[in-house]
């Protein structure tokens, strides 16, 4: 698969060589808070790269790996859609790179795979991520109560958001 180019980012398939950079980004407290992981974040990144149901891309900006974006497909023809997840290095957050990466991947999934619907499910308390997703057209669908267990061992709410292909905001 070739690179996907956005306005400011480049997405390319992640490889084993990217594990140290991606694990370091995941270790940043403001990323780890939402993405969690045990003590071996490199193993967690490697597990994502070998998960056959996921496609993981690095997010590149100014020649550096600054995050990752991944997707998987629900292939049942009656419920077909793609789901996304993304994380960025805190040093580049707030610059529009997240929305650019999401927009770039969504366009690719529309053009290459014919997807018409997309979902993302951030923690309900992750306001910056929710704002980022809304910038490209994702809309809140509803709160997923006690959706995921946090690092503190307690259950936390998630927010299901979706986007239809014709709602993508440039």
């Amino acid at each position: 698969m070739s690179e996907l180019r956005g306005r400011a980012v480049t997405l390319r398939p992640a490889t084993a060589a990217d594990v140290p950079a991606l694990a370091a980004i995941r270790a940043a407290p403001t990323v780890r808070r939402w993405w969690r992981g045990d003590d071996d974040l490199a193993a967690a990144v490697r597990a994502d790269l070998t998960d056959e149901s996921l496609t993981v891309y690095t997010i590149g900006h100014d020649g550096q790996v600054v995050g990752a974006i991944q997707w998987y497909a629900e292939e049942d023809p009656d419920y077909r859609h793609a789901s996304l997840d993304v994380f960025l290095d805190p040093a580049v957050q707030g610059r529009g790179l997240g929305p650019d990466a999401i927009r770039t991947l969504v366009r690719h999934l529309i053009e290459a795979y014919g997807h018409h619907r997309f979902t993302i499910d951030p923690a309900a308390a992750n306001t910056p991520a929710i704002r980022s997703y809304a910038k490209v057209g994702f809309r809140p669908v509803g709160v997923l109560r006690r959706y995921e267990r946090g690092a503190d061992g307690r259950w936390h709410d998630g927010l299901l958001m979706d986007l239809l292909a014709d709602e993508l905001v440039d």
Side-chain angles (χ1 to χ4, degrees):
M1 158 132 319
S2 60
E3 290 184 342
L4 307 175
R5 296 198 175 275
R7 291 180 183 141
V9 301
T10 301
L11 308 182
R12 67 166 172 75
T15 68
D18 298 310
V19 170
L22 296 176
I25 295 167
R26 292 246 331 244
T30 57
V31 176
R32 189 175 182 132
R33 175 181 179 195
W34 307 114
W35 275 74
R36 301 178 322 279
D38 59 20
D39 292 336
D40 190 350
L41 291 175
V45 172
R46 277 192 298 276
D48 285 347
L49 296 182
T50 59
D51 183 336
E52 292 185 15
S53 68
L54 287 177
T55 301
V56 182
Y57 295 92
T58 61
I59 300 171
H61 176 68
D62 288 341
Q64 299 294 315
V65 172
V66 297
I69 188 166
Q70 63 188 34
W71 73 278
Y72 69 91
E74 168 58 61
E75 295 293 352
D76 182 320
D78 293 334
Y79 299 95
R80 190 166 186 273
H81 69 279
S83 292
L84 290 71
D85 281 309
V86 61
F87 65 85
L88 282 177
D89 187 321
V92 299
Q93 291 177 6
R95 297 185 192 177
L97 302 181
D100 188 27
I102 294 165
R103 190 179 297 110
T104 301
L105 181 57
V106 167
R107 276 197 199 106
H108 170 68
L109 296 175
I110 293 167
E111 294 167 5
Y113 297 95
H115 281 288
H116 74 285
R117 182 173 175 269
F118 307 89
T119 63
I120 200 158
D121 56 356
N126 192 346
T127 306
I130 293 166
R131 277 195 309 262
S132 179
Y133 308 146
K135 287 179 184 177
V136 298
F138 278 88
R139 298 179 187 181
V141 174
V143 173
L144 301 162
R145 300 179 308 145
R146 296 183 188 165
Y147 180 60
E148 65 183 351
R149 188 171 33 223
D152 61 3
R154 296 181 317 174
W155 291 96
H156 301 273
D157 294 347
L159 178 66
L160 178 61
M161 301 179 78
D162 75 357
L163 168 75
L164 299 179
D166 60 357
E167 296 171 341
L168 182 63
V169 175
D170 280 329

